[in-house]
Amino acid sequence: MLLQLPNASKSVDDTPASRAETPPQGYWRRWSEDAPPADGAQDTTSASDGESSEPVAAAAATSPDGVPLPPLGTGDEPPYRVLIVEDDRAQAMFAEGVLNGAGIEAVVAAESKDVLDTMQRIKPDLVLMDLHMPGMSGTELTTMIRAHESFLHTPIVFLTGDPDPEMQYQVLEVGADDFLQKPIRPRHLIAAIESRVKRARALGKQRMTEASRHPATGLMARPVLLQQLSSALPATAGGVYFIEIEGTSTLRERFGYAALERLMTEAGRRLGELAGVHPATRLNDHSFLVYTPKLEDLALDRQARVWRDGLNQKAFDVDGHTIKLRVTVGYAALRHGFTDAGGALEAAEQASRHARSQALGIFAFEPPDHGQPSDLSDYLRDALADDRFELIYQPIVAVAGGDEAQYQTLLRMNAADGTLHNAAEIIPAAEQAGMIHDIDRWVLERALDVLQQRRAQSRPVRLFVPQSSRTLARDAYADWLASAIAVRGLEGPSLVIDIRLADALIHAVTLKQFCDQLVPVGVQFCLSQYEHSPDADSLLSQLPLGYIRLSARYAHADGGALRDAMRTSIDRAHRQGLQVIGHSVEDPQAAATLWMSGIDFIQGNLVQQAASELDFDFKNAVL
């Protein structure tokens, strides 16, 4: 058992007394020495009744009218919340009863695959875990939890009867905080949990205070602002502003990175003064975010002019030179029904891109009109429900040779009339119908299943899987993917997320957030449909990429400016440590052109047409 059960009491005639499956609330307070008695509680039990005298407050935690008393905690703090990870139902229920009785909220996860989803949902103060769980060891589960930045400091305490010290050291080394040995008295368990949670909350407040504001600008830390925004959504008023400083590449080349950083710090300080009580943060080298929680729609555009003019008209000093900045502002009204911070930020970033081409430098986001869906979009939901989507695969072959198996996944949909639709038809229709998130997740789940099957067959493979930036911007998508990879026991490098260049240019900030969350678990990223431009080249350093896939146009470059642009792209990618894939290679001439330009991989019908089987012979492939 998880805890040592007390002897069951018996009635006077030695008939076992009926007992609830879990103790009543407050029952275990008798073992919690620091638990204060309820106000006005008195000893009303007579010694002549044959029962030991116990204060009423020790046996119950409810008021006379049946309303539960406040759980343990101090002041206005929420009650302590513990996630119990235990597959044995009896042990889990008993531990849950002990903690609930002490005023601690306890939630049980019986399967290891549910742990991360449950943690994301309830945000526990502490995880109480059995050392041996079916499907995943304590070491693996701890490693998976610690891979998530939001749970990096959540205490993990193991309750186990395993006496092996080597096992305990192993789990401690990967991030566990403590071990409690079975059997354990309830009061010791409660005291240990309360002590850990108190310290964790105190340290959390300290970290939040230290990290919530930038010491030089006073701007809020990005995670803190996004958390505020997320907790306020959906909202009927307010707005999000994406403020971008233009020409930073030129400034960096002229004055150097250190001088540019000082300039951006001064710009941030100025924006902080303009923002006042509105939360503001720096997003990257040249952009900022401001959140105006209660601003009405009519005031949003006027406020955008305040940010623009306040920065445009300010004279900044850079190494003795006085310069003025050009600022563009894109904003999104929260009344459009955003349900997560990622979606709101994505919309404001998209508006900012449009603002660059406006004379005023200001643009307001307007959601797409889904009122006139295409003919194809009408069938998407039925096709998803009827499992009429499928994945096919095209090999990606190293020009230098090698037997590492890797494929591009391609989406197809079988229509009811027998027509086979490709991704170029499906994706725009899915975006128009608001179904791109559902389809992206379907694609990724199928790809992960293939990776798991191949791993079980000792035939590992790497899959390049396209995903929409709108899907990657969703708040919980990165957590879901990290959990899905861990539950399947996959190695992160077997999955490469494919992102279209056009999407990445619009949603660079939200993509960076997603990538940063998945890099620790080994997921790699590829920028596809790549063509040389100053904006595209800047993405090579902004995003944690591993690959770029060239635009199909480069496969047919027959000289002149297009071939020069291709060589420039390949050279820049290699200087960033990235590998380059030549795409849509249909004939030997195209393969030779790409090979001479220095690409690393070739993909196209010259190698093999896309098929439903992953049976290409990489070991004996000759280009």
Side-chain angles (χ1 to χ4, degrees):
M1 294 297 292
L2 186 63
L3 302 175
Q4 196 166 20
L5 290 168
N7 293 329
S9 61
K10 295 187 178 183
S11 62
V12 176
D13 59 0
D14 290 335
T15 302
S18 61
R19 180 173 60 84
E21 196 163 18
T22 58
Q25 187 169 356
Y27 180 78
W28 295 110
R29 283 183 182 271
R30 68 183 66 189
W31 280 284
S32 185
E33 295 174 335
D34 57 350
D39 294 339
Q42 298 180 3
D43 185 358
T44 60
T45 307
S46 170
S48 62
D49 293 335
E51 298 283 341
S52 62
S53 178
E54 285 283 340
V56 173
T62 56
S63 61
D65 57 2
V67 178
L69 295 175
L72 293 179
T74 57
D76 296 327
E77 286 191 1
Y80 298 164
R81 182 172 293 167
V82 173
L83 175 63
I84 301 169
V85 183
E86 173 60 72
D87 62 306
D88 187 291
R89 183 171 179 271
Q91 295 187 32
M93 291 186 68
F94 199 80
E96 184 182 19
V98 170
L99 299 183
N100 284 342
I104 299 171
E105 290 185 5
V107 176
V108 174
E111 297 187 34
S112 55
K113 67 181 180 63
D114 298 328
V115 169
L116 275 180
D117 287 342
T118 306
M119 291 184 69
Q120 189 67 33
R121 177 169 52 85
I122 71 170
K123 301 295 191 297
D125 293 295
L126 181 142
V127 178
L128 183 65
M129 193 186 305
D130 188 13
L131 183 57
H132 301 289
M133 291 284 292
M136 190 174 295
S137 69
T139 303
E140 293 171 326
L141 194 50
T142 301
T143 301
M144 184 175 72
I145 292 172
R146 292 299 186 224
H148 289 260
E149 185 176 354
S150 53
F151 304 133
L152 195 59
H153 302 289
T154 302
I156 299 175
V157 176
F158 280 90
L159 191 55
T160 178
D162 191 334
D164 183 5
E166 289 301 323
M167 176 63 73
Q168 298 182 9
Y169 295 147
Q170 185 179 4
V171 179
L172 290 171
E173 284 176 355
V174 297
D177 294 277
D178 202 0
F179 268 88
L180 299 176
Q181 200 71 34
K182 299 178 186 178
I184 184 173
R185 293 195 66 184
R187 70 172 182 178
H188 293 162
L189 175 65
I190 293 167
I193 288 177
E194 288 182 355
S195 175
R196 278 282 179 191
V197 173
K198 285 177 183 177
R199 287 205 305 273
R201 285 194 176 185
L203 290 172
K205 288 179 181 179
Q206 181 180 345
R207 284 192 297 269
M208 184 65 72
T209 301
E210 293 172 351
S212 62
R213 296 280 177 181
H214 189 278
T217 64
L219 297 183
M220 189 173 288
R222 184 177 67 182
V224 178
L225 187 150
L226 293 178
Q227 179 59 42
Q228 283 193 14
L229 175 60
S230 182
S231 63
L233 296 176
T236 57
V240 175
Y241 295 82
F242 192 101
I243 301 167
E244 190 170 14
I245 310 296
E246 294 197 333
T248 52
S249 297
T250 302
L251 290 170
R252 182 171 56 248
E253 292 175 1
R254 181 180 178 187
F255 297 107
Y257 184 83
L260 175 64
E261 182 60 26
R262 290 194 295 271
L263 174 60
M264 291 299 100
T265 298
E266 287 301 314
R269 185 180 292 115
R270 174 60 176 161
L271 180 60
E273 295 170 357
L274 296 169
V277 297
H278 300 305
T281 189
R282 183 175 174 182
L283 289 173
N284 56 26
D285 285 349
H286 59 280
S287 62
F288 300 86
L289 183 74
V290 182
Y291 165 42
T292 55
K294 297 182 180 180
L295 210 61
E296 297 296 332
D297 272 13
L298 294 177
L300 292 177
D301 188 74
R302 183 168 63 250
Q303 192 64 55
R305 295 168 188 264
V306 171
W307 313 140
R308 181 200 63 184
D309 296 342
L311 289 170
N312 279 348
Q313 297 171 10
K314 169 74 173 176
F316 294 93
D317 178 80
V318 182
D319 292 348
H321 297 81
T322 300
I323 66 170
K324 289 190 176 182
L325 302 174
R326 169 166 169 75
V327 177
T328 57
V329 182
Y331 68 90
L334 299 183
R335 64 173 172 79
H336 290 309
F338 303 108
T339 57
D340 57 63
L345 177 55
E346 175 194 348
E349 186 180 5
Q350 183 177 344
S352 176
R353 183 168 176 81
H354 288 292
R356 299 177 197 171
S357 61
Q358 302 296 311
L360 292 175
I362 295 173
F363 193 85
F365 168 79
E366 287 296 335
D369 181 13
H370 297 313
Q372 300 295 329
S374 67
D375 293 339
L376 185 58
S377 65
D378 293 335
Y379 300 107
L380 292 178
R381 202 169 301 279
D382 289 340
L384 196 60
D386 297 340
D387 200 24
R388 285 191 274 110
F389 285 101
E390 65 175 286
L391 293 182
I392 59 175
Y393 309 91
Q394 189 167 53
I396 301 172
V397 181
V399 297
D403 57 1
E404 186 176 37
Q406 51 187 14
Y407 295 84
Q408 171 79 20
T409 64
L410 302 169
L411 179 64
R412 298 290 184 264
M413 185 187 79
N414 293 293
D417 61 1
T419 305
L420 186 66
H421 296 280
N422 61 27
E425 300 170 292
I426 298 168
I427 299 305
E431 290 177 340
Q432 190 175 24
M435 287 191 61
I436 189 64
H437 311 306
D438 300 314
I439 292 175
D440 275 338
R441 180 155 175 167
W442 183 94
V443 169
L444 204 45
E445 285 181 332
R446 291 300 183 278
L448 292 176
D449 289 343
V450 170
L451 292 175
Q452 184 179 23
Q453 291 166 8
R454 295 280 294 210
R455 182 177 182 272
Q457 297 166 359
S458 298
R459 296 191 301 156
V461 65
R462 176 180 294 122
L463 293 183
F464 288 70
V465 183
Q467 292 280 279
S468 162
S469 295
R470 293 184 180 181
T471 299
L472 302 185
R474 292 169 73 95
D475 282 352
Y477 201 65
D479 290 327
W480 167 78
L481 178 54
S483 176
I485 290 171
V487 166
R488 289 173 170 84
L490 301 176
E491 295 180 355
S494 62
L495 174 66
V496 182
I497 299 294
D498 225 321
I499 306 165
R500 296 189 299 268
L501 173 64
D503 278 354
L505 288 171
I506 298 174
H507 311 298
V509 172
T510 49
L511 283 174
K512 177 74 163 55
Q513 288 180 257
F514 178 86
C515 294
D516 287 346
Q517 286 183 264
L518 270 299
V519 164
V521 298
V523 176
Q524 299 183 82
F525 298 90
C526 176
L527 192 61
S528 65
Q529 301 176 9
Y530 187 85
E531 293 192 22
H532 167 68
S533 73
D535 286 341
D537 289 346
S538 69
L539 289 176
L540 301 186
S541 56
Q542 290 180 32
L543 299 176
L545 301 170
Y547 306 84
I548 66 169
R549 179 181 286 103
L550 298 176
S551 165
R553 292 202 310 140
Y554 287 147
H556 309 289
D558 54 1
L562 188 60
R563 181 173 294 185
D564 290 341
M566 176 179 66
R567 288 174 173 166
T568 300
S569 298
I570 295 171
D571 180 61
R572 287 180 180 272
H574 283 163
R575 278 189 280 151
Q576 295 284 346
L578 310 180
Q579 299 188 79
V580 182
I581 303 170
H583 180 49
S584 294
V585 181
E586 305 292 327
D587 56 69
Q589 181 60 42
T593 299
L594 291 167
W595 180 81
M596 292 174 63
S597 299
I599 63 163
D600 303 287
F601 301 96
I602 282 182
Q603 174 189 349
N605 291 336
L606 175 67
V607 178
Q608 179 177 285
Q609 291 189 351
S612 58
E613 301 298 328
L614 292 86
D615 55 4
F616 184 79
D617 185 0
F618 287 88
K619 186 173 183 178
N620 296 309
V622 177
L623 296 177

